[in-house]
Amino acid sequence: MNSYGSFPGARPRRLRTTPAMRRMVAETRLQPADLILPAFVREGVSEPVPISAMPGVVQHTRDTLRKAAVEAVEAGVSGIMLFGVPEDAKKDAAGTAGTDPDGILQVAIQDVKAEVGDDLVIMSDLCLDEYTDHGHCGVLDENGRVDNDATLERYAEMAQVQADAGVHVVGPSGMMDGQVGVVRDALDTIGKEDVAILAYTAKYSSAFYGPFREAVGSSLQGDRKTYQQDPANLRESMRELALDLEEGADMVMVKPAGPYLDVLAKVAEAVDVPVAAYQISGEYAMVEAAAEKGWIDRDKAIFETLTGIRRAGAQMILTYWATEVAQKLAAGRR
């Protein structure tokens, strides 16, 4: 102690004294506009189908998807990422339902566009895994491996039918080499220069995708380690980032979010395009399961995970809690 005051002289706790003080000096702010809602729409169902591993999330009918889109707009959510779930009988080796203009994803895009217009950024998953009978993200060669270049041809077709359906943003998520450039060329060829590309730049081969397999009715046998990234690698993500930007990506994404915050931060520091992160099904399921057990405070955990993703550098967060969180933010509840 000295004659001029008590030790310590620096007291950071002064800025934590009240909720109002903490709110005023908060470095990271979560807003409804930061959020994007992933949504599943299933062909041939008359009622929403609950996803057992993701409590509160459903496979929508076309009608309930429309309602979910309206609810998202009203809550201030910025976008919706659509995933189509075709009837099993329509799956084949080439995933032809994914390029059928009347396929479930294409009609869902049209439905949402008719319902909310440009009030919500309509995004679409551009990948074959939902539509192939083998469950992989591309077509297979004679040895049963995913054929990168043949798959790119299918992605080009998918991009065009999704753009024709009225989508604002396509999200090529298969982790094929060259996918962004091929999709950009395919869109520009048909005069869809305004359709943006959200590149799944760093999509890791993760255990946390488990519940998503149920959500999309996946037929996958084996794994996707030959095309999704190894969780051990970070420099590889930066190489993927450079390639995606060179090929014309408008936005880039890291997926999953929570286990890869270091990758997210590195990507966010390196680019001048918007950065997204996808809080995936397993991240959602863990919080919901622990909360159901009474082991954690559900709402606090949700906001803490999302704030951490935002703090790491994501300007946009895809999360299954998007509408709920946006509503609570608007009501001042957090």
Side-chain angles (χ1 to χ4, degrees), residues 23-74:
R23 184 172 62 249
M24 183 178 73
V25 302
E27 299 172 29
T28 304
R29 301 184 189 278
L30 192 64
Q31 304 292 338
D34 301 332
L35 306 174
I36 297 166
L37 176 68
F40 308 100
V41 57
R42 180 170 172 177
E43 189 172 27
V45 295
S46 58
E47 297 291 336
V49 179
I51 300 168
S52 63
M54 301 175 68
V57 180
V58 301
Q59 294 171 326
H60 284 286
T61 69
R62 289 175 61 185
D63 285 340
T64 62
L65 178 64
R66 285 174 175 262
K67 294 174 183 176
V70 170
E71 188 179 25
V73 170
E74 292 173 345

Side-chain angles (χ1 to χ4, degrees), residues 298-319:
R298 177 181 180 274
D299 284 4
K300 288 181 180 178
I302 291 171
F303 276 96
E304 186 173 339
T305 59
L306 292 173
T307 300
I309 296 165
R310 184 74 179 84
R311 188 185 63 245
Q315 296 162 265
M316 305 170 292
I317 305 173
L318 286 82
T319 176

Side-chain angles (χ1 to χ4, degrees), residues 5-243:
S6 61
F7 176 85
R11 295 185 182 269
R13 287 181 55 190
R14 293 181 186 125
L15 302 184
R16 305 173 197 152
T17 52
T18 67
M21 177 69 79
R22 293 191 293 273
R23 184 172 62 249
M24 183 178 73
V25 302
E27 299 172 29
T28 304
R29 301 184 189 278
L30 192 64
Q31 304 292 338
D34 301 332
L35 306 174
I36 297 166
L37 176 68
F40 308 100
V41 57
R42 180 170 172 177
E43 189 172 27
V45 295
S46 58
E47 297 291 336
V49 179
I51 300 168
S52 63
M54 301 175 68
V57 180
V58 301
Q59 294 171 326
H60 284 286
T61 69
R62 289 175 61 185
D63 285 340
T64 62
L65 178 64
R66 285 174 175 262
K67 294 174 183 176
V70 170
E71 188 179 25
V73 170
E74 292 173 345
V77 170
S78 284
I80 188 168
M81 174 65 79
L82 300 177
F83 296 85
V85 184
E87 295 176 331
D88 286 344
K90 295 185 178 180
K91 294 183 179 182
D92 60 24
T96 53
T99 50
D100 180 354
D102 296 319
I104 183 60
L105 181 54
Q106 283 68 254
V107 297
I109 293 168
Q110 294 168 10
D111 288 342
V112 174
K113 188 68 177 287
E115 191 70 34
V116 299
D118 295 334
D119 291 340
L120 193 65
V121 179
I122 303 169
M123 304 177 168
S124 54
D125 180 57
L126 200 165
C127 196
L128 288 172
D129 60 318
E130 297 99 322
Y131 310 100
T132 54
D133 53 13
H134 48 73
H136 278 286
C137 297
V139 295
L140 305 183
D141 63 18
E142 62 275 9
N143 298 314
R145 288 172 55 89
V146 174
D147 186 324
N148 190 94
D149 294 2
T151 298
L152 293 182
E153 295 180 17
R154 300 289 293 124
Y155 285 3
E157 296 176 53
M158 290 189 79
Q160 291 176 339
V161 296
Q162 291 175 7
D164 286 338
V167 79
H168 298 112
V169 179
V170 294
S173 61
M175 289 300 288
M176 296 297 120
D177 294 337
Q179 63 185 13
V180 171
V182 165
V183 167
R184 183 72 272 158
D185 287 346
L187 292 169
D188 293 351
T189 296
I190 62 169
K192 298 293 183 180
E193 295 90 350
D194 288 342
V195 174
I197 297 175
L198 170 58
Y200 282 59
T201 291
K203 184 178 180 182
Y204 284 88
S205 180
S206 171
F208 293 98
Y209 294 130
F212 184 87
R213 307 281 191 254
E214 177 189 351
V216 297
S218 175
S219 306
L220 180 66
Q221 301 294 319
D223 59 51
R224 298 181 173 131
K225 292 182 179 180
T226 64
Y227 45 102
Q228 292 180 350
Q229 275 190 237
D230 185 339
N233 294 349
L234 188 153
R235 284 195 300 271
E236 183 180 25
S237 291
M238 304 311 292
R239 185 183 184 198
E240 294 278 6
L241 175 64
L243 290 168

Side-chain angles (χ1 to χ4, degrees), residues 287-302:
V287 171
E288 291 289 351
E292 190 275 330
K293 290 283 191 181
W295 294 340
I296 61 173
D297 183 307
R298 177 181 180 274
D299 284 4
K300 288 181 180 178
I302 291 171

